[in-house]
Amino acid sequence: MIHRLRSAVRRTYRRAVDLSHPARSPLGSAVVNCVVYRDGARQDGARSIEEAVRRVRKSGDGFVWIGLHEPEEKEFAGLAKLFELHPLAVEDAVHAHQRPKLEQYDDVLFAVFKTVRYVEHDELTATSEVVDTGELMAFIGPDFVVTIRHGGHGSLGPLREALESEPEQLAKGPSVALHAIADHVVDDYLAVTEAVQGDLDAIETAVFSEQGHRGDVGRIYQLKRELLELKRAVAPLGRPLQRLASEPVPIIAAEIRAYFRDVADHLARVTEQVASYDALLDSILQAHLAQVTVAQNEDMRKITAWAAIIAVPTMVCGVYGMNFEHMPELRWTYGYPLVLGVMAVACFVIHRGFRRNGWL
């Protein structure tokens, strides 16, 4: 019940979705948006990427922000030539499947982020998808920002709107966009880790319930696997953010460096949470396996106790089942009820002893 309530709250406060669609963009099949910013204000009127870049470089002020979604190599070749992007970085941006990293090619920074999204579900099963990942790349130059998004989430539309509402900050240049992207990605990490906490609590409650030993161990392994996916997105980003926060990078304005320290602190918090979740899952798994072992031992003790009880009448019946002609009490009138009574008393005494010792 608590888990469903948390899911409903998350759905209520979910971020706005960018409704820009590549098919409706006049700038190209993969181009989501192309905007010129001058003095922190959005400038309208650019009909093509080339025109937007020409306007920025002619005035010597502001920068152009180009957003793309899963561009093909041919589509991206023109932009790579226009901004003189390094071929290795271009290859990584087009083909994706990269680790989070930060690379510098002359006066251009190339940053790779892993985006994450929590997949809503009513109940965690052994096949539930919990964490969905994508990729977000950013080329940061003196007068341009090029972002490439891979995956069905991680839209930067709401982020652009938030930045445009703070023109004083946006006027500081492209490094502000890089900080906003990093902060946006890490905030999503925080939201996902908080959502995963609900699944972790549900599993912990189920394992330590009265019927915990009958729980599905597949759910624990599935959550651990999804947590590993989150860890792969979070952990490698620590070094790039520390570099942006502490080392002088020509593209990054000095006053923006302090903001990266704040993002690095938030990432460290996420990293610690993911590590603690992983350790807690290990403990839950060990506890579950211990419960299964204890339950099996309990079952074996009960089976052994009942086998010992049944062994007494089996032995007596086995003796009297031997077909010898001369056996004691064979022709005695009270022999049969006496033997039944002896078997019943013996079984009762053995049963009472096992009950007293906690075997039954």
Side-chain angles (χ1 to χ4, degrees):
M1 179 66 183
I2 295 177
H3 180 64
R4 292 182 180 177
L5 182 59
R6 286 178 176 172
S7 300
V9 172
R10 285 195 297 269
R11 282 192 287 265
T12 303
Y13 291 98
R14 187 174 296 161
R15 291 184 177 183
V17 177
D18 184 13
L19 299 179
S20 301
H21 194 281
R24 294 195 291 269
S25 174
L27 303 171
S29 59
V31 179
V32 177
N33 214 337
C34 175
V35 180
V36 174
Y37 294 100
R38 184 176 294 120
D39 296 327
R42 180 178 183 139
Q43 307 295 310
D44 297 325
R47 291 175 295 179
S48 67
I49 294 175
E50 291 78 8
E51 181 184 346
V53 174
R54 187 166 54 250
R55 287 171 54 183
V56 168
R57 292 180 174 173
K58 182 178 180 180
S59 64
D61 184 24
F63 64 95
V64 57
W65 187 344
I66 303 167
L68 301 97
H69 180 255
E70 298 182 354
E72 296 182 359
E73 191 170 354
K74 292 182 179 179
E75 294 175 311
F76 198 63
L79 276 178
K81 184 177 180 181
L82 179 63
F83 295 115
E84 299 180 353
L85 304 179
H86 197 280
L88 292 177
V90 171
E91 182 181 358
D92 291 345
V94 172
H95 297 291
H97 304 294
Q98 304 296 317
R99 296 176 75 249
K101 61 182 180 179
L102 179 69
E103 296 177 346
Q104 185 171 357
Y105 299 95
D106 297 328
D107 59 347
V108 176
L109 275 181
F110 175 59
V112 178
F113 303 93
K114 282 280 190 181
T115 58
V116 298
R117 179 180 66 91
Y118 180 77
V119 181
E120 299 288 352
H121 49 272
D122 293 330
E123 183 179 359
L124 181 67
T125 66
T127 58
S128 295
E129 183 182 12
V130 179
V131 179
D132 182 25
T133 60
E135 290 185 43
L136 181 62
M137 289 88 164
F139 289 92
I140 308 298
D143 56 5
F144 66 88
V145 176
V146 178
T147 54
I148 304 98
R149 182 167 58 91
H150 292 268
H153 63 278
S155 171
L156 298 178
L159 175 65
R160 287 175 180 265
E161 295 175 3
L163 280 176
E164 290 172 1
S165 65
E166 300 179 5
E168 299 85 2
Q169 189 75 359
L170 194 57
K172 296 177 182 179
S175 58
V176 173
L178 180 60
H179 163 261
I181 292 171
D183 189 51
H184 172 78
V185 170
V186 173
D187 282 348
D188 284 344
Y189 293 165
L190 284 168
V192 171
T193 53
E194 290 175 0
V196 171
Q197 175 73 54
D199 292 316
L200 193 61
D201 291 343
I203 286 183
E204 187 176 19
T205 301
V207 167
F208 290 101
S209 64
E210 293 183 0
Q211 300 296 323
H213 64 280
R214 302 185 184 276
D216 185 9
V217 71
R219 297 197 307 158
I220 303 177
Y221 277 114
Q222 179 64 17
L223 185 57
K224 192 170 179 61
R225 189 182 301 114
E226 295 295 310
L227 200 62
L228 178 61
E229 189 75 16
L230 179 59
K231 186 176 181 180
R232 288 172 179 168
V234 172
L237 189 58
R239 180 67 186 98
L241 285 182
Q242 287 295 336
R243 180 184 171 189
L244 290 170
S246 59
E247 299 179 11
V249 180
I251 298 297
I252 306 301
E255 60 268 26
I256 302 299
R257 200 175 302 154
Y259 292 96
F260 280 107
R261 285 199 293 269
D262 181 65
V263 178
D265 289 341
H266 290 172
L267 182 70
R269 174 186 166 191
V270 175
T271 304
E272 291 173 359
Q273 283 184 325
V274 172
S276 64
Y277 290 173
D278 190 47
L280 183 57
L281 272 178
D282 286 337
S283 300
I284 291 174
L285 180 60
Q286 293 299 323
H288 176 70
L289 295 178
Q291 286 179 328
V292 171
T293 302
V294 170
Q296 289 176 342
N297 290 338
E298 290 284 345
D299 293 339
M300 288 303 300
R301 289 203 307 182
K302 290 180 180 179
I303 293 172
T304 303
W306 283 111
I309 293 172
I310 296 174
V312 174
T314 301
M315 180 187 68
V316 175
C317 294
V319 170
Y320 281 93
M322 293 185 291
N323 296 320
F324 293 109
E325 183 176 352
H326 301 288
M327 292 183 67
E329 293 90 24
L330 282 179
R331 298 184 181 279
W332 186 36
T333 303
Y334 301 103
Y336 180 70
L338 178 63
V339 169
L340 291 179
V342 169
M343 289 191 295
V345 171
C347 291
F348 174 77
V349 171
I350 296 174
H351 182 273
R352 186 176 180 182
F354 281 130
R355 284 291 297 272
R356 185 174 297 174
N357 293 328
W359 283 48
L360 289 175

